[in-house]
Amino acid sequence: MKSAELREKYLAFFEQKGCKRQPSSSLVPDDPSMLLTSAGMVQFKPWFLQQRQLEPPFIGTTTVQKCVRTTDIDIIGSTGRHLSFFEMLGNFSFGAYFKQEMCAWAYEFSTEVLGFDPELLYFTIYLDDDETFEIWKSLGVPESHISRLGAEDNFWVAGPTGPCGPSSELYYDQGPAFGCDRPDCGPGCDCDRFLEYWNLVFTQYDRQEDGTLVPLPKKNIDTGMGLERTAALLQNVPSNYETDILRGLITIGERLSKKTYGSRDSDDLSLRICADHSRAVTFMIADGILPANEGRGYVLRRLLRRAVRHGQLLGIEPPFLGEYVQAVIEEMSGPYPELRENRVLIERIVRAEEERFAATIRTGQAYLDDHLASLAPETSPVLAGNIAFELHDRYGFPLDLTIEIAAEQGVAVDREGFEAHMRTQRERARGALKDDAWATIGSIFSDILREKGATRFEGYAHTELPEARVLAIIVEEQDGRDESKRSRRAGAGDGKGAGDGKGPGDGKGKGKGTGTGERRVVAIERISDGQQAQVVLDRTPFYGEMGGQVGDTGELVTSSGDVFTVEDTQVHEKAIYAHIGRIDGTLAVGDVVRARIDTMRRERIERNHTGTHLLHHALREILGEHVKQAGSLVAPDRLRFDFTHFEALTSEQLSQVEELVNILIMEDSLVSAHETSLDEARADGVTALFGEKYGETVRVLEAGPASRELCGGTHVTHTAQIGFMKIISEQSIGSSLRRIEAVTSFDALASVNRMEAELKRAAARLKVAPLELAGRVEALQARVQELESELARQRRAAALDDIEQMAAAALDVGYRVVVARMDGNEVEDMRTLWDALRPRLGDASALVLGGTGKSGRPLLLAAGTQAAVEKGFDAGALIKQIAPLIKGGGGGKPGMAQAGGQDAAGIDTALEQARLLVSA
């Protein structure tokens, strides 16, 4: 059974049982505690928290979720099981069916659909889960095939408190050939004989702070079947890498490298890494992740560079990953249409990153050469472990390559130091690359969502609601006092909070618990007298910060006239709107308030938001369809638009983009929105924003006939309300990523007026009309260049005179050496001087120069001919000894070395020390 058939059979089976087929969610999770989506249930976390139920006839959902896990990236490829990218088959129930149905269906699917021999199936359950034990027995499973394991293996918990429950895992006996030959070998053993392929989690309890397990009113099902593992069993192959999709990618590596899989362990490792990582890279870019030096972008860059490096080890020269990308798209774009939609962009980004990495390798080689040259000629020189790690981490040099290059120069590498840095990085990665979607369970907002439901947003139709009820009030406490007012801690009962204090990315502590144990976010019943708080309502017209659009401001007014001034609005758990601000008077949970937003501020935001849609359309028209939105900020006073592109825009292109946007504005087209399904929107050609995460139902925003995008923000009703747009700047913000900043309406007018004022001021200084300013500046620039050329000519003439004097004053120390001060020269000028001086000094000669550069920074240069070096001159050793006298550092090779410093007052002392050293 091929992977595609397994994928479809699973979804169809659970559809027949009453589950609704849902698309995979993005690899970029909505949960801010997670870096990448790593399980099928991630998109359903709000459903579990709210105990929501699907509309009949559906009793649950079923998905095939794309996942990435890279916590232990260095072992991927070294075993047959570990993958960076994998697919997770899942089905989920939010109270409609439970253990009996799930176990029966799992057994039916395994034996009747997959055709597994029941004699080869084994099942694990939690120690005291007698209910599941009896269910498996009733289905015909022998007691000898049911094992009871402890909480670490078979009891799932969201955190110290919150949803939890036992699990049951399904194993397939691959036979003694895969085993460890231990007499107690069985399910749960570390060997590969009993391979787990399906995990069934029965979420049936709510763990309290005292450890008590309270039955949930609705019991949930959360399952996960590894597609690759199951495919390996069905295809009777020994590892995930021999399954049809991955084996097909390995074949590409065989063709490109002329190597045969299975012939040599080191080649097999590289072939597996290229196959696995190329698939992960393709899917990550399709979901809007771009190469960067931190976060998800760093994970992507590391995977891509690791694949390139292992391709080179196979003898494949980059760029070559494009062939893998094309194969992944051809094979997998059926269930994942975003691959096909972003094909051109994926291919171009991968190629650009491969070329960038080639340049990085060259830079890394220079970095290594410098450090090798700086080592003192000891009996057994050793390259420090931190340098080897830097080469690995920043430049992509594997340790064996560093060892090989160092060995050529007789230098060993501190392997233990390297491994110590690697261990530190792995620990840091495990802390950052969280794959637990329930990491924030027990936080204030997840509790509110679970107990009181989602906030109803009514801000599309209303800017004011006469009645909205206060559901919760959240404040930040500085210490542990005032226990009488606390109704719930932010956290999971451990006294540390559950979050990072950063909220949804603003760094201002507007989110969950601080995690410090000292400053805590708590829910209280009442605030008064200027207290700051976050207020949650049952319904609101306030737009919470999402999709780049900033949150609304305004006020909540009680029936007695007390006013809570809203300074910002944030959204938590995708459903809870927190109104952040300060009270003048009093406000209590249960109060009914009039909620009204600052409409003038909202209107300014709406102009900029609709403007970003027109800007997106114009960029694609002028630059090409590879342009995708990659982020935005829509504020009252400006807009910022990030997009994928591979080079700076020319002045002409920027003018064309700006002109097209303003043409669309002046057409005064109707702006409207409607809801539809994601599939229908895609089929209708609506632009889905690159990397954005969408549910089954989406909102389509149409700004005239030109722009049709999926968007949940607020907008003007006609494009002419934008006024006009003025682009302020365009710049690079990363590899293949550009940023435009622009203003609209009155802010655009103010910007143009400021520029006009500056133009007039500059023209007045040069005593020309504003329109003549450019010509006048060009003339002045030409005059400056003329004067600089004349100055350079005079300096060269003066330098020739200096050369004769230097040659005459050279010391004779067994070879001729000049030690002199030359200010006003950069290192390049000093090297030129050495080239001119060397013929006058003879074959055995050397030079030590010091001086301040054109910027006033002190510089030192030492150089010597080969004959001088053979007689004992060592420029690198000399510079290392005198550089501290200018508070600097440097180094180089015996034939040439240089240093920079911070203290120009030490130049003469450094040169005097150089005279003593060369004369000794």
Side-chain angles (χ1 to χ4, degrees):
M1 187 183 296
K2 300 298 184 185
S3 297
E5 187 180 357
L6 170 59
R7 193 186 292 122
E8 178 56 34
K9 282 184 178 292
Y10 186 93
L11 294 172
F13 178 85
F14 282 99
E15 274 187 315
Q16 293 170 2
K17 301 300 182 184
C19 292
K20 185 177 184 180
R21 185 186 298 216
Q22 299 272 73
S24 169
S25 63
S26 171
L27 286 173
V28 181
D30 287 303
D31 189 334
S33 72
M34 298 183 69
L35 198 65
L36 294 160
T37 298
S38 59
M41 57 69 56
V42 171
Q43 66 173 303
F44 300 114
K45 180 181 174 185
W47 289 68
F48 281 108
L49 290 175
Q50 296 178 71
Q51 294 287 289
R52 285 161 60 183
Q53 189 53 271
L54 283 87
E55 294 292 328
F58 300 111
I59 61 173
T61 64
T62 182
T63 66
V64 181
Q65 176 65 49
K66 51 192 175 185
C67 302
V68 169
R69 286 183 189 167
T70 57
T71 307
D72 294 311
I73 186 174
D74 292 313
I75 66 172
I76 292 171
S78 62
T79 74
R81 289 183 294 175
H82 288 85
L83 301 171
S84 61
F85 175 90
F86 58 95
E87 296 178 85
M88 188 65 77
L89 305 165
N91 61 285
F92 310 89
S93 171
F94 315 107
Y97 63 86
F98 200 50
K99 288 183 182 179
Q100 180 66 53
E101 296 89 342
M102 188 61 243
C103 291
W105 295 340
Y107 192 80
E108 179 186 349
F109 185 78
S110 296
T111 58
E112 297 184 19
V113 179
L114 301 184
F116 286 159
D117 182 350
E119 293 297 318
L120 299 179
L121 297 182
Y122 287 77
F123 306 80
T124 63
I125 61 173
Y126 181 55
L127 286 172
D128 61 3
D129 189 4
D130 295 331
E131 181 185 4
T132 305
F133 180 81
E134 294 299 330
I135 292 173
W136 287 127
K137 278 181 59 181
S138 71
L139 294 170
V141 178
E143 290 188 26
S144 60
H145 283 220
I146 306 173
S147 304
R148 294 178 184 265
L149 299 179
E152 184 177 347
D153 296 291
N154 281 98
F155 195 91
W156 176 84
V157 295
T161 63
C164 60
S167 67
S168 183
E169 296 172 330
L170 281 68
Y171 288 78
Y172 185 89
D173 182 2
Q174 300 192 89
F178 289 83
C180 57
D181 295 327
R182 288 168 47 189
D184 60 344
C185 181
C189 183
D190 290 335
C191 74
D192 288 339
R193 174 170 179 174
F194 295 92
L195 186 69
E196 178 203 342
Y197 67 94
W198 205 345
N199 185 24
L200 318 178
V201 176
F202 311 124
T203 312
Q204 62 187 94
Y205 301 115
D206 185 358
R207 176 177 280 170
Q208 305 301 299
E209 291 192 4
D210 62 1
T212 304
L213 298 179
V214 177
L216 288 169
K218 291 183 179 178
K219 298 176 175 61
N220 305 314
I221 290 292
D222 168 14
T223 78
M225 172 191 281
L227 182 142
E228 289 83 2
R229 285 195 182 188
T230 308
L233 296 174
L234 292 167
Q235 296 169 20
N236 195 29
V237 292
S239 82
N240 293 336
Y241 290 96
E242 276 75 42
T243 56
D244 54 317
I245 294 177
L246 284 165
R247 188 61 182 86
L249 295 175
I250 286 175
T251 299
I252 293 174
E254 290 180 302
R255 173 171 54 81
L256 295 174
S257 67
K258 306 296 190 294
K259 302 290 175 67
T260 302
Y261 187 68
S263 298
R264 185 181 175 197
D265 288 346
S266 60
D267 289 343
D268 289 353
L269 173 65
S270 294
L271 287 166
R272 286 195 294 265
I273 286 173
C274 289
D276 169 81
H277 289 12
S278 63
R279 197 165 64 141
V281 163
T282 303
F283 273 88
M284 291 173 78
I285 297 175
D287 276 355
I289 302 171
L290 298 174
N293 290 326
E294 60 183 10
R296 301 179 185 101
Y298 176 70
V299 174
L300 170 64
R301 175 164 282 165
R302 192 170 174 210
L303 287 168
L304 194 152
R305 290 184 171 185
R306 194 166 186 252
V308 172
R309 179 59 196 153
H310 277 274
Q312 290 177 320
L313 292 176
L314 290 167
I316 312 171
E317 285 303 313
F320 64 86
L321 281 181
E323 295 211 31
Y324 286 92
V325 168
Q326 292 171 14
V328 171
I329 293 173
E330 290 301 320
E331 177 68 39
M332 304 188 73
S333 60
Y336 303 108
E338 62 273 16
L339 297 177
R340 182 175 55 252
E341 293 167 2
N342 295 301
R343 180 173 198 146
V344 173
L345 182 63
I346 297 168
E347 291 174 347
R348 292 191 64 174
I349 287 176
V350 167
R351 185 179 182 88
E353 192 66 13
E354 283 190 89
E355 293 170 349
R356 181 189 180 99
F357 183 45
T360 302
I361 286 286
R362 289 193 295 271
T363 306
Q365 180 75 59
Y367 176 82
L368 176 56
D369 289 343
D370 285 346
H371 280 279
L372 291 174
S374 69
L375 293 173
E378 303 169 353
T379 307
S380 302
V382 177
L383 185 72
N386 66 303
I387 302 301
F389 175 76
E390 183 78 0
L391 284 161
H392 165 84
D393 192 53
R394 178 182 295 182
Y395 301 106
F397 274 51
L399 180 61
D400 57 355
L401 177 63
T402 302
I403 291 172
E404 180 182 333
I405 295 173
E408 292 172 357
Q409 300 189 36
V411 177
V413 176
D414 177 12
R415 297 192 187 202
E416 290 186 5
F418 172 83
E419 288 300 332
H421 282 82
M422 285 296 294
R423 284 193 296 272
T424 300
Q425 184 198 60
R426 290 189 190 106
E427 290 167 4
R428 188 167 58 245
R430 290 189 184 100
L433 306 183
K434 295 178 181 176
D435 58 13
D436 179 8
W438 295 89
T440 58
I441 193 69
S443 72
I444 285 290
F445 298 105
S446 67
D447 287 347
I448 293 171
L449 180 60
R450 187 168 43 158
E451 296 172 11
K452 300 183 179 180
T455 306
R456 196 163 69 250
F457 175 64
E458 300 181 20
Y460 293 134
H462 304 285
T463 58
E464 181 175 335
L465 293 178
E467 292 185 352
R469 188 172 299 277
V470 177
L471 297 182
I473 299 174
I474 298 127
V475 298
E476 185 178 87
E477 286 190 348
Q478 299 298 322
D479 53 40
R481 290 174 294 189
D482 198 13
E483 295 286 337
S484 61
K485 293 199 290 184
R486 183 176 299 108
S487 64
R488 186 183 301 107
R489 290 268 301 274
D494 59 359
K496 297 181 181 177
D500 57 7
K502 297 180 181 177
D506 61 3
K508 299 177 183 176
K510 295 176 182 175
K512 304 167 289 297
T514 62
T516 64
E518 297 174 359
R519 300 170 69 235
R520 295 173 293 207
V521 179
V522 300
I524 62 176
E525 293 297 316
R526 179 182 299 271
I527 53 173
S528 60
D529 303 326
Q531 270 187 283
Q532 288 185 316
Q534 301 184 59
V535 175
V536 178
L537 306 175
D538 62 343
R539 54 200 289 254
T540 184
F542 287 77
Y543 186 87
E545 183 175 334
M546 285 183 293
Q549 180 174 331
V550 299
D552 279 331
T553 61
E555 58 186 19
L556 311 177
V557 184
T558 68
S559 58
S560 58
D562 297 327
V563 178
F564 182 86
T565 302
V566 179
E567 300 164 354
D568 191 13
T569 308
Q570 296 287 332
V571 182
H572 302 276
E573 302 292 353
K574 298 172 61 177
I576 298 296
Y577 284 64
H579 306 79
I580 303 163
R582 188 183 300 272
I583 186 65
D584 181 10
T586 62
L587 184 69
V589 173
D591 282 354
V592 174
V593 298
R594 176 180 292 273
R596 56 193 179 204
I597 68 173
D598 181 339
T599 54
M600 293 191 66
R601 180 177 179 275
R602 164 78 81 84
E603 287 169 359
R604 294 176 67 195
I605 293 170
E606 289 175 340
R607 294 184 192 115
N608 285 333
H609 200 160
T610 308
T612 64
H613 284 240
L614 300 182
L615 177 60
H616 189 190
H617 171 77
L619 286 166
R620 288 170 64 86
E621 285 289 309
I622 302 301
L623 303 180
E625 301 252 328
H626 66 277
V627 170
K628 306 278 186 180
Q629 180 174 339
S632 67
L633 170 68
V634 182
D637 58 337
R638 71 192 190 284
L639 66 90
R640 188 178 70 213
F641 190 82
D642 301 341
F643 59 100
T644 54
H645 190 52
F646 305 95
E647 59 190 2
L649 274 68
T650 65
S651 298
E652 182 181 3
Q653 288 173 326
L654 275 175
S655 296
Q656 291 174 332
V657 168
E658 187 176 82
E659 181 180 5
L660 179 53
V661 170
N662 284 299
I663 288 173
L664 297 172
I665 289 172
M666 288 184 284
E667 286 178 351
D668 194 24
S669 298
L670 177 69
V671 179
S672 62
H674 67 274
E675 289 190 348
T676 184
S677 71
L678 180 59
D679 289 341
E680 288 178 357
R682 273 197 165 114
D684 202 26
V686 176
T687 300
L689 299 190
F690 182 53
E692 192 58 77
K693 302 168 285 294
Y694 299 106
E696 182 183 8
T697 300
V698 293
R699 186 170 182 262
V700 178
L701 193 286
E702 299 188 17
S707 174
R708 299 167 68 239
E709 294 185 14
L710 302 183
C711 182
T714 63
H715 293 267
V716 299
T717 59
H718 287 79
T719 59
Q721 291 172 307
I722 299 172
F724 77 104
M725 178 183 287
K726 184 66 185 173
I727 294 176
I728 302 301
S729 66
E730 188 273 340
Q731 61 182 324
S732 169
I733 58 169
S735 176
S736 307
L737 201 58
R738 312 293 302 179
R739 170 173 290 172
I740 281 180
E741 299 209 19
V743 286
T744 66
S745 188
F746 292 105
D747 294 296
L749 178 61
S751 175
V752 170
N753 287 340
R754 283 195 301 272
M755 285 189 283
E756 184 181 19
E758 285 298 306
L759 182 67
K760 289 179 177 178
R761 190 164 72 91
R765 290 290 299 272
L766 296 179
K767 296 181 173 58
V768 295
L771 294 180
E772 298 172 353
L773 183 60
R776 178 61 173 156
V777 169
E778 289 172 358
L780 289 173
Q781 286 178 323
R783 179 58 178 157
V784 168
Q785 289 176 351
E786 180 183 331
L787 292 173
E788 286 181 342
S789 297
E790 175 62 22
L791 180 61
R793 187 190 64 77
Q794 293 179 5
R795 281 180 173 170
R796 285 193 296 271
L800 290 175
D801 292 338
D802 291 339
I803 287 172
E804 298 300 334
Q805 295 177 18
M806 287 179 179
L811 302 174
D812 190 343
V813 295
Y815 52 90
R816 299 188 71 192
V817 58
V818 168
V819 181
R821 176 162 182 161
M822 292 288 293
D823 290 313
N825 293 278
E826 297 301 324
V827 169
E828 293 78 10
D829 302 320
M830 293 180 175
R831 288 178 175 173
T832 301
L833 184 63
W834 166 238
D835 291 338
L837 184 61
R838 190 168 52 223
R840 291 170 171 78
L841 294 176
D843 290 339
S845 57
L847 171 76
V848 183
L849 286 182
T852 55
K854 295 172 185 176
S855 64
R857 179 171 174 261
L859 301 169
L860 296 171
L861 175 77
T865 63
Q866 182 61 36
V869 171
E870 290 172 356
K871 291 186 176 186
F873 182 77
D874 189 332
L878 181 65
I879 285 294
K880 287 184 71 173
Q881 291 185 70
I882 67 175
L885 297 172
I886 61 169
K887 295 183 179 179
K893 299 179 179 180
M896 182 169 287
Q898 65 188 59
Q902 304 297 323
D903 184 9
I907 293 173
D908 291 335
T909 304
L911 292 175
E912 183 59 34
Q913 181 68 20
R915 287 190 186 91
L916 295 174
L917 290 171
V918 298
S919 300

